Amino acid sequence: MFKKALMAAAAFTMMVSSAFADGKIIVGSYAANPPWEFQNESGTFEGFEIDVATEAAKRAGMEVEFQPLGFQALFAATSSGRIDFAISSISINNDRLKTQSFTQPYYDSDGTIVGKDGSSVKTLEDLKGKVIGVVAATTGEAWAKENADKLGISEVKSYAAQQDLLLDVQNGRIEGGAGELAGFQYAIQKVPGLKILVRIPTGERFAMMAKKDHELLPKINDAISAMKTDGTLAAIHKKWFGAEPDAGTSTVTVMPIPAAQ
Protein backbone atom coordinates (compact mmCIF):
# COMPACT_ATOMS: atom_id res chain seq x y z
CA MET A 1 0.00 0.00 0.00
CA PHE A 2 2.83 2.38 0.89
CA LYS A 3 4.53 1.66 -2.45
CA LYS A 4 1.29 2.26 -4.33
CA ALA A 5 0.80 5.55 -2.49
CA LEU A 6 4.29 6.69 -3.49
CA MET A 7 3.63 5.74 -7.11
CA ALA A 8 0.33 7.64 -7.06
CA ALA A 9 2.00 10.71 -5.57
CA ALA A 10 4.72 10.58 -8.21
CA ALA A 11 2.13 10.30 -10.96
CA PHE A 12 0.25 13.30 -9.58
CA THR A 13 3.46 15.33 -9.43
CA MET A 14 4.22 14.48 -13.06
CA MET A 15 0.68 15.47 -14.05
CA VAL A 16 0.90 18.81 -12.25
CA SER A 17 4.33 19.74 -13.63
CA SER A 18 3.79 18.41 -17.17
CA ALA A 19 2.03 21.59 -18.21
CA PHE A 20 5.30 23.49 -18.39
CA ALA A 21 7.82 20.65 -18.65
CA ASP A 22 7.65 20.79 -22.45
CA GLY A 23 8.26 24.52 -22.64
CA LYS A 24 4.59 25.47 -22.60
CA ILE A 25 2.62 27.47 -20.05
CA ILE A 26 -1.08 26.63 -19.69
CA VAL A 27 -3.12 29.75 -18.89
CA GLY A 28 -6.78 29.48 -17.90
CA SER A 29 -9.11 32.30 -18.80
CA TYR A 30 -12.77 33.21 -18.40
CA ALA A 31 -13.14 33.84 -22.11
CA ALA A 32 -16.21 36.10 -22.00
CA ASN A 33 -14.54 39.01 -20.25
CA PRO A 34 -13.66 41.69 -22.82
CA PRO A 35 -11.49 43.73 -23.05
CA TRP A 36 -9.41 41.54 -20.75
CA GLU A 37 -9.91 38.24 -22.56
CA PHE A 38 -12.38 36.86 -25.09
CA GLN A 39 -12.53 34.54 -28.08
CA ASN A 40 -13.18 36.06 -31.51
CA GLU A 41 -15.34 34.48 -34.21
CA SER A 42 -12.56 32.10 -35.21
CA GLY A 43 -12.05 30.99 -31.58
CA THR A 44 -8.75 32.82 -31.16
CA PHE A 45 -8.11 34.42 -27.76
CA GLU A 46 -7.74 38.20 -27.69
CA GLY A 47 -7.61 40.90 -25.04
CA PHE A 48 -5.40 42.99 -22.78
CA GLU A 49 -4.43 40.11 -20.50
CA ILE A 50 -4.02 37.71 -23.43
CA ASP A 51 -1.37 40.07 -24.78
CA VAL A 52 0.26 40.39 -21.34
CA ALA A 53 0.42 36.63 -20.76
CA THR A 54 1.60 35.89 -24.30
CA GLU A 55 4.44 38.41 -24.08
CA ALA A 56 5.44 37.32 -20.56
CA ALA A 57 5.62 33.67 -21.65
CA LYS A 58 7.66 34.64 -24.72
CA ARG A 59 10.17 36.54 -22.59
CA ALA A 60 10.40 33.53 -20.29
CA GLY A 61 11.31 31.43 -23.32
CA MET A 62 8.07 29.48 -23.37
CA GLU A 63 4.96 29.08 -25.50
CA VAL A 64 1.52 29.73 -24.07
CA GLU A 65 -1.71 27.79 -24.45
CA PHE A 66 -5.02 29.33 -23.34
CA GLN A 67 -7.85 27.24 -21.94
CA PRO A 68 -11.40 28.62 -21.51
CA LEU A 69 -12.82 28.09 -18.02
CA GLY A 70 -15.59 29.55 -15.89
CA PHE A 71 -14.40 32.27 -13.52
CA GLN A 72 -14.96 30.19 -10.37
CA ALA A 73 -13.21 27.20 -11.96
CA LEU A 74 -9.97 29.16 -12.35
CA PHE A 75 -9.21 28.96 -8.62
CA ALA A 76 -9.54 25.18 -8.43
CA ALA A 77 -7.63 24.76 -11.69
CA THR A 78 -4.58 26.67 -10.45
CA SER A 79 -4.66 24.98 -7.03
CA SER A 80 -4.76 21.50 -8.59
CA GLY A 81 -2.09 22.24 -11.19
CA ARG A 82 -4.46 21.72 -14.11
CA ILE A 83 -3.30 25.12 -15.36
CA ASP A 84 -0.15 27.07 -14.55
CA PHE A 85 -1.66 30.56 -14.42
CA ALA A 86 -5.09 32.18 -14.52
CA ILE A 87 -6.12 35.54 -15.96
CA SER A 88 -9.52 37.24 -15.94
CA SER A 89 -9.22 40.64 -14.26
CA ILE A 90 -8.50 38.74 -11.02
CA SER A 91 -7.99 41.14 -8.14
CA ILE A 92 -5.22 40.57 -5.63
CA ASN A 93 -6.55 40.45 -2.08
CA ASN A 94 -5.33 39.06 1.20
CA ASP A 95 -7.82 36.18 1.35
CA ARG A 96 -6.74 34.96 -2.08
CA LEU A 97 -3.05 35.35 -1.22
CA LYS A 98 -3.48 32.84 1.61
CA THR A 99 -4.20 30.05 -0.88
CA GLN A 100 -2.88 31.32 -4.22
CA SER A 101 0.13 33.23 -5.53
CA PHE A 102 0.07 36.27 -7.82
CA THR A 103 2.52 38.08 -10.02
CA GLN A 104 2.98 41.77 -9.41
CA PRO A 105 -0.10 43.74 -10.53
CA TYR A 106 -0.33 45.27 -14.00
CA TYR A 107 -3.62 47.19 -13.87
CA ASP A 108 -5.34 49.43 -11.29
CA SER A 109 -9.13 49.47 -11.31
CA ASP A 110 -12.24 50.58 -9.47
CA GLY A 111 -15.65 49.03 -9.14
CA THR A 112 -18.86 50.40 -10.62
CA ILE A 113 -22.62 50.08 -10.84
CA VAL A 114 -23.92 49.83 -14.40
CA GLY A 115 -27.56 50.39 -15.27
CA LYS A 116 -30.07 51.73 -17.79
CA ASP A 117 -29.91 55.27 -19.13
CA GLY A 118 -33.10 56.21 -17.29
CA SER A 119 -32.13 54.72 -13.93
CA SER A 120 -32.84 56.79 -10.83
CA VAL A 121 -29.59 55.54 -9.27
CA LYS A 122 -27.09 58.41 -9.04
CA THR A 123 -25.31 57.47 -5.80
CA LEU A 124 -24.73 54.27 -3.86
CA GLU A 125 -27.45 55.34 -1.41
CA ASP A 126 -29.95 55.17 -4.29
CA LEU A 127 -29.52 51.38 -4.34
CA LYS A 128 -31.83 51.09 -1.33
CA GLY A 129 -34.62 48.64 -2.11
CA LYS A 130 -33.08 47.68 -5.46
CA VAL A 131 -32.01 44.33 -6.90
CA ILE A 132 -28.52 44.28 -8.37
CA GLY A 133 -26.63 41.58 -10.23
CA VAL A 134 -23.06 40.34 -9.91
CA VAL A 135 -20.90 37.72 -11.61
CA ALA A 136 -20.37 34.86 -9.17
CA ALA A 137 -17.04 34.70 -7.27
CA THR A 138 -15.91 38.17 -8.40
CA THR A 139 -14.92 41.07 -6.20
CA GLY A 140 -18.14 42.71 -7.42
CA GLU A 141 -20.09 39.97 -5.68
CA ALA A 142 -17.97 40.32 -2.54
CA TRP A 143 -18.52 44.10 -2.47
CA ALA A 144 -22.28 43.76 -3.00
CA LYS A 145 -22.71 41.18 -0.25
CA GLU A 146 -20.57 43.16 2.19
CA ASN A 147 -22.54 46.36 1.57
CA ALA A 148 -26.05 45.01 0.97
CA ASP A 149 -27.33 45.62 4.50
CA LYS A 150 -25.65 49.00 4.87
CA LEU A 151 -27.06 50.27 1.56
CA GLY A 152 -30.42 48.52 1.90
CA ILE A 153 -30.00 46.49 -1.30
CA SER A 154 -33.02 44.18 -1.44
CA GLU A 155 -31.30 41.32 -3.30
CA VAL A 156 -27.89 40.45 -4.76
CA LYS A 157 -28.43 38.14 -7.72
CA SER A 158 -25.48 36.08 -8.96
CA TYR A 159 -24.83 35.22 -12.61
CA ALA A 160 -22.40 32.82 -14.25
CA ALA A 161 -21.74 35.17 -17.18
CA GLN A 162 -21.50 38.95 -17.53
CA GLN A 163 -23.61 39.00 -20.71
CA ASP A 164 -26.53 37.41 -18.85
CA LEU A 165 -26.27 40.03 -16.12
CA LEU A 166 -26.25 42.89 -18.64
CA LEU A 167 -29.20 41.39 -20.52
CA ASP A 168 -31.25 41.40 -17.33
CA VAL A 169 -30.25 45.02 -16.67
CA GLN A 170 -31.24 45.97 -20.21
CA ASN A 171 -34.60 44.21 -19.87
CA GLY A 172 -35.31 45.78 -16.49
CA ARG A 173 -35.28 42.52 -14.52
CA ILE A 174 -32.68 44.03 -12.16
CA GLU A 175 -31.78 47.66 -11.43
CA GLY A 176 -28.07 47.34 -12.18
CA GLY A 177 -24.91 45.32 -11.97
CA ALA A 178 -21.89 45.65 -9.69
CA GLY A 179 -18.48 44.83 -11.07
CA GLU A 180 -15.17 46.03 -12.45
CA LEU A 181 -15.16 49.42 -14.17
CA ALA A 182 -13.12 48.84 -17.33
CA GLY A 183 -14.85 45.57 -18.17
CA PHE A 184 -18.28 47.18 -17.90
CA GLN A 185 -17.14 50.26 -19.85
CA TYR A 186 -16.08 48.00 -22.70
CA ALA A 187 -19.12 45.72 -22.55
CA ILE A 188 -21.81 48.41 -22.53
CA GLN A 189 -20.51 49.82 -25.82
CA LYS A 190 -22.18 46.78 -27.36
CA VAL A 191 -25.37 46.87 -25.25
CA PRO A 192 -27.68 49.77 -26.19
CA GLY A 193 -29.23 51.84 -23.43
CA LEU A 194 -26.77 51.12 -20.63
CA LYS A 195 -24.37 53.46 -18.82
CA ILE A 196 -22.10 53.72 -15.79
CA LEU A 197 -24.26 54.92 -12.89
CA VAL A 198 -21.80 55.08 -9.98
CA ARG A 199 -18.03 54.64 -9.71
CA ILE A 200 -16.88 52.79 -6.58
CA PRO A 201 -13.29 53.51 -5.42
CA THR A 202 -12.18 49.98 -4.53
CA GLY A 203 -8.46 50.24 -5.31
CA GLU A 204 -8.38 46.85 -7.06
CA ARG A 205 -5.26 45.63 -8.83
CA PHE A 206 -5.19 42.81 -11.39
CA ALA A 207 -2.45 40.19 -11.83
CA MET A 208 -1.79 36.68 -13.11
CA MET A 209 -2.72 34.05 -10.50
CA ALA A 210 -1.00 30.71 -9.90
CA LYS A 211 -0.99 27.91 -7.36
CA LYS A 212 0.80 28.79 -4.14
CA ASP A 213 4.55 29.28 -4.73
CA HIS A 214 4.45 28.07 -8.35
CA GLU A 215 8.01 27.54 -9.54
CA LEU A 216 7.46 29.67 -12.67
CA LEU A 217 6.15 32.67 -10.71
CA PRO A 218 9.51 34.50 -10.35
CA LYS A 219 10.33 34.03 -14.03
CA ILE A 220 6.97 35.35 -15.24
CA ASN A 221 7.11 38.17 -12.72
CA ASP A 222 10.56 39.22 -14.01
CA ALA A 223 9.14 39.25 -17.54
CA ILE A 224 6.34 41.58 -16.42
CA SER A 225 8.90 43.87 -14.78
CA ALA A 226 10.82 44.07 -18.05
CA MET A 227 7.61 44.81 -19.95
CA LYS A 228 6.93 47.74 -17.65
CA THR A 229 10.48 49.06 -17.90
CA ASP A 230 10.69 49.02 -21.71
CA GLY A 231 7.18 50.39 -22.32
CA THR A 232 5.62 47.21 -23.69
CA LEU A 233 2.87 47.14 -21.05
CA ALA A 234 2.07 50.80 -21.71
CA ALA A 235 1.72 50.00 -25.41
CA ILE A 236 -0.67 47.11 -24.64
CA HIS A 237 -2.71 49.47 -22.44
CA LYS A 238 -2.95 52.03 -25.25
CA LYS A 239 -3.96 49.32 -27.74
CA TRP A 240 -6.94 48.19 -25.66
CA PHE A 241 -8.00 51.38 -23.87
CA GLY A 242 -6.99 54.04 -26.38
CA ALA A 243 -4.90 56.01 -23.88
CA GLU A 244 -1.56 55.94 -22.12
CA PRO A 245 -1.63 54.53 -18.57
CA ASP A 246 -1.43 57.06 -15.77
CA ALA A 247 1.96 57.67 -14.18
CA GLY A 248 2.44 55.80 -10.93
CA THR A 249 -0.07 53.06 -11.72
CA SER A 250 0.84 49.38 -11.65
CA THR A 251 0.85 49.28 -15.46
CA VAL A 252 4.11 51.25 -15.51
CA THR A 253 5.57 50.78 -12.02
CA VAL A 254 7.70 47.73 -11.19
CA MET A 255 6.45 46.10 -7.99
CA PRO A 256 7.34 43.05 -5.86
CA ILE A 257 5.46 39.78 -5.85
CA PRO A 258 2.58 40.34 -3.39
CA ALA A 259 2.49 38.40 -0.12
CA ALA A 260 -0.29 37.67 2.34
CA GLN A 261 -0.43 39.90 5.42
Side-chain angles (χ1 to χ4, degrees):
M1 288 294 291
F2 181 69
K3 184 177 181 180
K4 287 183 179 180
L6 286 176
M7 291 175 64
F12 179 76
T13 301
M14 289 178 64
M15 178 185 71
V16 169
S17 62
S18 64
F20 57 89
D22 60 355
K24 180 185 292 184
I25 297 174
I26 307 299
V27 177
S29 169
Y30 171 51
N33 187 35
W36 307 106
E37 42 274 316
F38 60 96
Q39 287 177 282
N40 61 25
E41 293 180 357
S42 66
T44 302
F45 283 84
E46 295 185 32
F48 177 91
E49 289 184 295
I50 299 298
D51 287 354
V52 171
T54 300
E55 181 65 19
K58 179 182 175 181
R59 293 183 184 224
M62 308 183 83
E63 297 180 0
V64 63
E65 176 184 319
F66 295 101
Q67 290 187 1
L69 292 169
F71 186 82
Q72 290 175 288
L74 294 172
F75 296 85
T78 50
S79 295
S80 68
R82 176 183 170 188
I83 60 176
D84 296 308
F85 290 90
I87 54 173
S88 284
S89 54
I90 304 173
S91 298
I92 305 167
N93 63 43
N94 201 52
D95 285 343
R96 289 172 177 172
L97 284 169
K98 292 174 182 176
T99 57
Q100 306 274 358
S101 286
F102 286 83
T103 65
Q104 63 182 292
Y106 43 67
Y107 189 86
D108 299 350
S109 182
D110 279 332
T112 191
I113 303 295
V114 64
K116 295 180 72 172
D117 279 336
S119 174
S120 62
V121 174
K122 310 296 182 186
T123 68
L124 292 179
E125 288 69 28
D126 295 332
L127 294 174
K128 185 175 182 179
K130 305 290 195 303
V131 178
I132 62 170
V134 295
V135 177
T138 63
T139 52
E141 180 182 54
W143 176 88
K145 289 183 175 180
E146 287 171 6
N147 291 276
D149 289 342
K150 181 176 71 174
L151 296 173
I153 297 170
S154 64
E155 181 185 351
V156 176
K157 186 175 181 180
S158 293
Y159 293 80
Q162 179 177 270
Q163 58 265 38
D164 295 333
L165 183 160
L166 292 176
L167 184 62
D168 273 6
V169 174
Q170 186 183 39
N171 292 332
R173 297 188 185 99
I174 59 177
E175 184 67 28
E180 185 270 319
L181 178 62
F184 273 147
Q185 285 177 323
Y186 183 90
I188 64 177
Q189 295 179 55
K190 305 177 186 300
V191 184
L194 299 188
K195 69 175 184 178
I196 300 300
L197 302 179
V198 185
R199 183 165 179 153
I200 307 167
T202 57
E204 295 177 70
R205 283 178 164 170
F206 303 154
M208 295 177 66
M209 182 177 73
K211 72 178 295 183
K212 196 70 173 174
D213 301 322
H214 194 297
E215 62 189 88
L216 286 179
L217 185 67
K219 199 169 187 178
I220 294 300
N221 192 73
D222 287 346
I224 292 172
S225 292
M227 291 162 64
K228 292 181 180 184
T229 301
D230 67 16
T232 299
L233 252 172
I236 293 172
H237 184 283
K238 187 169 184 179
K239 171 184 174 181
W240 288 102
F241 300 107
E244 298 287 348
D246 292 337
T249 62
S250 64
T251 306
V252 295
T253 305
V254 175
M255 297 178 174
I257 293 174
Q261 301 301 312

